[in-house]
Amino acid sequence: MDEQNRKKVILASPAFRIASLAILTALTAVFTFMVRIPIARTGGYLNLGDVIIYFTAFTFGPVSALVAGGLGTAITDLISGYSQWAPISLLAHGLQGLVAGLIASIAWRGKSSTFNPFWVIAAIAGTIVMAGGYLIAQILMLGAGAALFELPWNLLQNLIGLAGAIPLTIAVRKAYPPVTKLRW
């Protein structure tokens, strides 16, 4: 088997995909955990996990973003003392990644290492899903006042996530063009 065919076999293997998802999940957890800016009134925090969720959605597609976004943020909640939020994070961030990945896939251009305007539309939809999911959960768990207080912070977190994901996506595609073939 020649080198090019060997690389295609490796990239298509389930083991490679599982390892890639594990790395993306770990990156999401690390970005969520390492930078946490507390929101005193609600006990929540701003983080950079959305950078990796959107990067995963734009680069690897909706299923990868669903898994990495949901599991990465839920794991962070479990290890950082927010275990009551882990199921909400699993759903809200997982669906955020899925929705953003689906919309980004509509206009996906495999060889592009330039900005794709559909990424903004995808992030807006992902933001609505994530912030809406947390809003509903926070109304039930903390009351409407606290939930509405935290809503702008969730919107800001997603805006920061998009602002970080766009240059990261472009840089990775430019530095490693074969990444555009890794959509699952």
Side-chain angles (χ1 to χ4, degrees), residues 9-27:
V9 169
I10 290 171
L11 295 179
S13 76
F16 181 81
R17 291 179 180 189
I18 291 169
S20 297
L21 284 175
I23 292 167
L24 292 166
T25 299
L27 281 171

Side-chain angles (χ1 to χ4, degrees), residues 45-72:
Y45 60 89
L46 290 175
N47 64 75
L48 297 178
D50 295 320
V51 172
I52 301 301
I53 295 170
Y54 288 131
F55 165 74
T56 303
F58 303 158
T59 305
F60 297 97
V63 175
S64 297
L66 168 73
V67 172
L71 286 178

